[in-house]
Amino acid sequence: MATAVVTGGAGFLGSHLCDHLVAKGLRVICVDNLETGSLQNVEHLRGDSFSFVNHDMTEHLAVDEGVDLVFHLASPASPIDYLRLPLKTLKVGSYGTHNALGLAKFKRARFLLASTSEVYGDPAIHPQPETYWGNVNPIGPRGVYDEAKRYAEALTMAYHRQQGVDTCIVRIFNTYGKRMRPNDGRAIPTFIRQAQANEPLTVFGDGSQTRSFCYVDDLIRGLVLLAESGEHLPVNIGNPQELTLLELAENVVRVTGSKSEIVFEALPVDDPQVRQPDITRARQLLGWEPQVGLEEGLRRVLEANERESLSV
Ligand code: NAD
């Protein structure tokens, strides 16, 4: 049985990845300090194929058993979290990534870095291909996240080139699904929470900025295909279906059947104007395409929330 370490495994994406790997028959060691994640996300995973280690990735991580794969997802990811935790975000992107790469080197494991579309900053090229170097403000408030991920990418390539570690880098575009925290500040859970309470949906700016939203099952499938490939250079994984924030709010109102109105609020500093992945590389290298459209994905999230509230 192959063994995977998933750092940040108790978070939104990490817990879905743990589910997927356990279902595939792997043994999973979930490493998380619960800074923004929760044990509730993994409490259904029990038995020999899953274990949880409460550990801060900025400290050295020792694992007693063999490890075949290291998925490094540990990092605050929502703007609310990384603006609240600027130094911790920089530390987990730097020391945390060193420690995760060190583990992969020691165990001769394949390593996957969860990077982000935020490495492209406010992009001058649209849609964004992996060859675009980005337009990031290093000293703005969001710089702590964007630059931590850019450093983590540089570090990953250095471990690959100098130390021979078998690495890959996934640039994740906005992803949504069940287990997102209703108050984590990201657009979809915020809009769903507001719509279900029949409160006004708060759209930043005039809502003309665009985003592309990927359903979590599609994202996890792409991420695992990349880990199973021999690729070392970054690969975008995201859904190229692009829409404005205002259109997203209107979609959520429709799908939830809410009576909420839409209101506008000040745009956050350095908010990117556009965001859409060019997924040509993922298509060619991995044969990967997203399969779940926005409306279907939103319905699945609502159904999952409903099932959860009934079982409480
Ligand atoms: P999340 O906040 O739900 O999960 C992050 C997890 O990392 C949490 O469980 C948290 O407790 C853990 N963590 C944070 N600091 C840690 C530390 N020092 N040591 C150990 N664990 C630590 O966020 P998410 O949306 O699941 O994001 C997971 C990864 O994917 C992040 O690296 C994020 O940058 C990346 N990503 C996510 C998205 C998205 O749309 N969700 C987009 C781009 C990139």
Side-chain angles (χ1 to χ4, degrees):
M1 185 193 278
T3 297
V5 166
V6 179
T7 79
F12 161 51
L13 292 183
S15 63
H16 284 274
L17 178 61
C18 291
D19 284 351
H20 183 101
L21 296 175
V22 167
K24 251 174 106 74
L26 276 80
R27 168 158 161 67
V28 173
I29 304 171
C30 166
V31 180
D32 203 298
N33 69 349
L34 304 177
E35 183 80 72
T36 59
S38 158
L39 278 179
Q40 265 179 2
N41 289 339
V42 288
E43 67 184 357
H44 56 284
L45 290 169
R46 291 181 194 190
D48 294 343
S49 58
F50 182 80
S51 49
F52 175 78
V53 180
N54 191 334
H55 178 82
D56 185 331
M57 279 307 296
T58 62
E59 305 289 334
H60 173 74
L61 174 68
V63 176
D64 290 339
E65 54 195 293
V67 175
D68 305 282
L69 291 154
V70 175
F71 292 90
H72 181 45
L73 278 71
S75 169
S78 158
I80 278 193
D81 293 325
Y82 62 71
L83 295 176
R84 176 175 61 88
L85 302 164
L87 290 175
K88 285 190 171 174
T89 303
L90 283 161
K91 278 186 184 160
V92 75
S94 50
Y95 301 118
T97 306
H98 266 293
N99 288 329
L101 278 158
L103 178 72
K105 180 183 167 195
F106 184 59
K107 299 288 183 182
R108 296 181 192 281
R110 170 94 164 146
F111 174 88
L112 176 139
L113 172 70
S115 184
T116 171
S117 58
E118 302 300 332
V119 298
Y120 299 125
D122 194 8
I125 295 182
H126 192 64
Q128 295 80 57
E130 291 86 348
T131 46
Y132 179 52
W133 292 355
N135 175 33
V136 169
N137 174 5
I139 58 164
R142 301 171 68 107
V144 297
Y145 180 68
D146 305 357
E147 296 294 4
K149 291 291 183 178
R150 289 170 68 91
Y151 176 83
E153 287 200 6
L155 192 63
T156 300
M157 291 311 296
Y159 267 82
H160 172 61
R161 293 195 180 109
Q162 192 197 317
Q163 311 271 319
V165 180
D166 181 12
T167 61
C168 60
I169 297 172
V170 55
R171 290 189 181 146
I172 301 171
F173 282 66
N174 286 334
T175 301
Y176 67 99
K178 68 172 181 183
R179 301 191 195 136
M180 292 186 90
R181 287 163 295 145
N183 291 305
D184 87 352
R186 291 187 266 198
I188 289 188
T190 305
F191 288 165
I192 290 180
R193 173 174 54 77
Q194 292 169 329
Q196 289 189 321
N198 284 315
E199 286 168 4
L201 272 65
T202 45
V203 169
F204 294 138
D206 61 3
S208 63
Q209 67 277 36
T210 68
R211 296 291 184 271
S212 311
F213 296 95
C214 187
Y215 185 64
V216 63
D217 291 2
D218 281 335
L219 187 280
I220 297 296
R221 191 167 42 81
L223 204 141
V224 171
L225 280 171
L226 177 59
E228 289 170 350
S229 78
E231 185 56 34
H232 301 300
L233 293 174
V235 177
N236 289 337
I237 299 282
N239 191 323
Q241 184 190 355
E242 184 187 21
L243 74 172
T244 67
L245 259 282
L246 184 57
E247 286 166 338
L248 174 69
E250 288 164 353
N251 263 284
V252 171
V253 169
R254 193 177 56 254
V255 174
T256 51
S258 167
K259 296 184 175 46
S260 296
E261 52 170 353
I262 294 171
V263 297
F264 298 91
E265 283 193 351
L267 205 58
V269 178
D270 297 334
D271 197 46
Q273 257 311 304
V274 289
R275 183 70 84 230
Q276 184 190 27
D278 177 335
I279 59 165
T280 310
R281 268 172 68 71
R283 280 198 182 106
Q284 288 172 350
L285 288 169
L286 314 174
W288 178 85
E289 294 261 4
Q291 290 168 351
V292 182
L294 182 68
E295 193 147 334
E296 167 64 15
L298 289 175
R299 284 189 203 289
R300 290 192 194 182
V301 177
L302 293 176
E303 278 163 23
N305 288 353
E306 212 159 287
R307 274 198 303 276
E308 213 150 277
S309 66
L310 288 177
S311 67
V312 173

